[in-house]
Amino acid sequence: MKLGYFKLILTMILFLALAGTSYAFDYTFHGKMWQTLGTTDNDISLPHSQKSGKTDFFSYNGALNDAGMKSTMYDVMSENDPAIFGLTKARLRFEGKTDDGLAKIVYGLEVGTYSWGDTKNTKFGLSGDGINQETRFAYAEVTMPVVGGKIRAGLQPTKINQWVWTETAPGLTYHHKYNGLKTMAGWYRGEDDKITNGGNNDYLVLKFDDKLTSSTTMGLFGIYANLDENQTSLDDIYDSDTYYIGLTGKFNQDAIFSNFDLIYQGGDIDFEDTAITDLDRSAWLGNLTVGFKVNDNFKVSGNILYVSGDDDPNDSDAKNFDAIDVDVKIGTIFFKDTILADCDRTISDAPYIMDKGLVNYAIQGDYQINAKNNLRMAVRYLTTAEDLEFKPNASDNELGYEFDLWYSYQLNKYVQLKLDAAYLVAGDGADHLAASDNYDGDDIYKLATGIKVSF
């Protein structure tokens, strides 16, 4: 961090501390830091090849719009170089609240995950001192008089749904809780700077969650996105209207627990060039987990996840589900779960492979060995919902069998020691993601250990 930035932040902290003392303004600091070491036999499986927040997937005129996706996505299953890596990530969050609890401000800083020795842009190497800091939160929250509830304004967490939208966004939102009913309404703004004249991307959200009984919670949400001009990876200009309607539920009674999500995505994609056929979006996602508590320390569960994909790149239908901005937990090889996920070393953060969707069958176990030791395991079978067809004269959807293991040791209230291990037995569908290796998809392993400090 530059010395000038440090002085500025220190001055702000001292000012707020004095303000808190003089004007009954309470403040707290919270933070997290990850330090991780790991290894894999495939270094191309580490970069963020597919990012939901920067990619709008759909096929048209026989081609895929993959704007925002790194070209390495087509090579992630190739026989690539092994790697040993070190990673650092840190977050610091300041919260200031009036002593009557009616208003607060939240400001969060983040040093996103950087590889040890990275000197390209971030200068996370010898001598350090790189420009690698970003703003994660910057919002105010005020309790409304008379009507109750709270209004938030600024860069804030969304947390709409784990499969659709969980990351931060700037906007204005209203939150209210009455007995077991939680309601939320919001407007978020996203700017499109991909083309010269740009445009405003607006998102309207309604969300309800109701605790129907002591064991059952149901939820309903809707999102409408009016997306102004965008540019495809083939340089065609389009705009789109997209909406999501989702039903969610949780059940937990005695030894049985379960949760589900059922989400429909609709809308249209209109091209500026009238020679290009416009598209109708019609996609859906279904997720179901059912589990059993063997005893107080051990539970097992099964999961089925289906995410629709597009089966014909030449027709006028976009049948693939496309998330807004998420970090999904579907194992460690392709997706994001625990310390490698926290450090953003993953192939995809969204629940699909490009526009071909996903199917996940998993058996999971969670064993709280004692107060300090926890062990979690999973075996899963992964396919795409529609066949991958990048390998010449072939098509297949089987990504393979994945074996996951997670172990954590709670050193004290603030410190966790963590270990992740995963191995994928690649299926025939993985061949289509191995373009640089003559379409011969290899097995992949990942192993990481690290420390997570939270306060």
Side-chain angles (χ1 to χ4, degrees), residues 101-132:
L102 295 179
K104 74 174 182 179
I105 61 171
V106 178
Y107 184 74
L109 298 173
E110 177 174 330
V111 175
T113 303
Y114 295 108
S115 299
W116 297 355
D118 181 0
T119 58
K120 291 181 180 178
N121 300 303
T122 61
K123 296 183 179 178
F124 215 80
L126 298 180
S127 298
D129 202 22
I131 302 173
N132 44 36

Side-chain angles (χ1 to χ4, degrees), residues 93 95 104-107 137-141 152-157 171:
R93 187 176 82 253
E95 294 188 11
K104 74 174 182 179
I105 61 171
V106 178
Y107 184 74
F137 297 119
Y139 68 91
E141 181 179 282
R152 288 181 191 161
L155 183 62
Q156 58 186 287

Side-chain angles (χ1 to χ4, degrees), residues 181-230:
L181 176 65
K182 295 180 181 179
T183 61
M184 176 267 190
W187 163 68
Y188 298 94
R189 162 61 57 83
E191 285 289 336
D192 185 343
D193 58 359
K194 295 179 182 178
I195 53 180
T196 303
N197 57 347
N200 296 326
N201 295 343
D202 293 306
Y203 302 83
L204 302 177
V205 179
L206 282 174
K207 189 172 188 288
F208 307 90
D209 289 287
D210 194 6
K211 194 171 183 60
L212 301 179
T213 69
S214 60
S215 58
T216 306
T217 301
M218 295 290 289
L220 178 68
F221 70 88
I223 303 172
Y224 171 71
N226 179 17
L227 307 183
D228 209 335
E229 289 185 343
N230 287 269

Side-chain angles (χ1 to χ4, degrees), residues 320-436:
N320 62 296
F321 189 86
D322 197 277
I324 296 174
D325 199 356
V326 290
D327 295 296
V328 298
K329 294 178 171 60
I330 316 172
T332 301
I333 296 293
F334 285 99
F335 304 102
K336 305 185 72 170
D337 204 336
T338 196
I339 197 164
L340 275 177
D342 289 342
C343 292
D344 300 314
R345 293 299 181 261
T346 183
I347 292 173
S348 173
D349 62 7
Y352 40 75
I353 300 297
M354 292 178 279
D355 68 335
K356 298 306 179 184
L358 185 75
V359 183
N360 170 68
Y361 304 95
I363 301 296
Q364 305 160 131
D366 192 314
Y367 182 32
Q368 188 67 44
I369 302 170
N370 53 41
K372 289 183 174 293
N373 294 274
N374 179 266
L375 184 66
R376 188 159 58 95
M377 300 149 288
V379 178
R380 65 186 74 249
Y381 176 61
L382 293 163
T383 75
T384 51
E386 302 294 340
D387 283 350
L388 294 162
E389 299 177 329
F390 300 114
K391 184 177 181 179
N393 304 314
S395 63
D396 206 286
N397 67 346
E398 186 183 31
L399 297 174
Y401 290 89
E402 181 175 333
F403 302 87
D404 300 306
L405 182 144
W406 303 271
Y407 168 75
S408 65
Y409 177 77
Q410 195 75 38
L411 184 65
N412 58 32
K413 180 180 178 180
Y414 306 103
V415 181
Q416 271 190 335
L417 307 179
K418 302 175 77 70
L419 173 71
D420 296 0
Y423 191 91
L424 178 77
V425 180
D428 291 340
D431 292 344
H432 296 265
L433 303 176
S436 65

Side-chain angles (χ1 to χ4, degrees), residues 282-301:
S282 181
W284 66 283
L285 179 151
N287 174 63
L288 175 66
T289 298
V290 177
F292 178 76
K293 298 176 184 176
V294 179
N295 54 44
D296 290 340
N297 296 328
F298 182 51
K299 59 184 179 182
V300 294
S301 63

